[in-house]
Amino acid sequence: MAGASLAFASSRADADGRVACALSGDGLKDGGSTLLSKSDDPAFDNALIAELRRILRIIPINPGFKYVSDNNAYATDTTIVAGTSGTVLIGLKLVRELLKPSQGGVAVACVLAHECGHIFQFFSSEKYFDRLDGTTQRYRELHADFLAGYYLAKRMGAATAQMREVEKALVDFGDYHAGNPKDHGTPGQRLAALDKGYVLSLGGAEFKDAAAEGEKYVKVL
């Protein structure tokens, strides 16, 4: 959806293309999920729209955005909204859980930026999604964490307290499923990728250069 608007009719999505997600659990049930036009909280919707618009000013992508009633978040190269490229599916259960701590908004920002990072991988001229292929999803997921860290530095600068909240959430997202195709990286690896992207961004690296550096970095973690 152009302009990061969440005003659309409920429908059903079948992500026939490539799909990536924030957590290493199960993917979209039955190959698809009911798409929700909005939450039951207009202030919540407006806050997410504002965050998404900030992300799109940093990460050069043009995806659609839709809600799903799920405890995960997804990115797919399937285009659901006309005039966009790919779709971010925002799990309402996940973001509401992340919002519970006082600094929870920045953890939600991290998840949204992570999924937007996958959209960048899908559609970048450098074909990062293919170049980050491996026996598991680890390289792709760590690279998305790296790009999320890059965005967070642009969003809030050197904000130690807020970054601690992000790190707490990301530790919970990590796993020890080495060799499992759904492996997203250990908590330590995910934090390292996030931190590297954050530091490069604070240092003034251009997004395109940082993305290339991130590819090299995650492959040696």
Side-chain angles (χ1 to χ4, degrees):
M1 125 210 51
S5 168
L6 287 167
F8 40 77
S10 297
S11 57
R12 180 109 179 140
D14 291 306
D16 295 327
R18 299 171 294 183
V19 178
C21 57
L23 283 73
S24 60
D26 292 334
L28 288 168
K29 304 296 188 296
D30 301 321
S33 183
T34 299
L35 304 179
L36 307 175
S37 62
K38 57 186 177 181
S39 73
D40 56 5
D41 183 347
F44 172 86
D45 294 341
N46 290 337
L48 255 66
I49 289 169
E51 191 68 60
L52 292 167
R53 286 176 174 158
R54 284 194 290 265
I55 293 171
L56 298 189
R57 288 196 289 266
I58 302 300
I59 302 179
I61 53 175
N62 179 39
F65 297 93
K66 299 256 182 178
Y67 284 136
V68 288
S69 181
D70 204 318
N71 194 35
N72 206 337
Y74 307 89
T76 173
D77 63 357
T78 300
T79 296
I80 297 170
V81 180
T84 66
S85 297
T87 310
V88 173
L89 305 176
I90 304 166
L92 282 169
K93 293 178 182 177
L94 174 63
V95 294
R96 283 173 171 157
E97 187 66 26
L98 290 173
L99 282 171
K100 289 180 179 179
S102 60
Q103 300 282 352
V106 74
V108 172
C110 181
V111 168
L112 296 177
H114 174 101
E115 297 310 326
C116 287
H118 284 309
I119 297 292
F120 173 75
Q121 292 170 354
F122 292 145
F123 294 100
S124 68
S125 60
E126 293 83 3
K127 301 185 183 301
Y128 280 110
F129 195 83
D130 295 330
R131 285 163 53 165
L132 291 161
D133 192 20
T135 57
T136 76
Q137 295 299 313
R138 180 179 294 187
Y139 293 156
R140 292 166 177 163
E141 297 302 328
L142 294 178
H143 190 253
D145 289 335
F146 179 100
L147 298 179
Y150 182 95
Y151 167 70
L152 290 175
K154 299 301 183 189
R155 180 188 189 272
M156 63 191 188
T160 304
Q162 289 182 307
M163 276 302 290
R164 284 176 181 157
E165 290 302 324
V166 175
E167 290 166 356
K168 289 176 185 176
L170 207 60
V171 164
D172 290 338
F173 286 2
D175 61 59
Y176 292 96
H177 300 157
N180 186 311
K182 297 179 181 179
D183 176 31
H184 279 41
T186 67
Q189 289 170 326
R190 299 199 70 170
L191 288 178
L194 181 83
D195 187 62
K196 183 68 172 180
Y198 182 79
V199 170
L200 277 180
S201 182
L202 285 179
E206 295 293 328
F207 180 83
K208 181 178 181 180
D209 295 335
E213 182 65 25
E215 179 189 7
K216 293 185 288 186
Y217 183 72
V218 301
K219 286 182 176 178
V220 298
L221 274 178

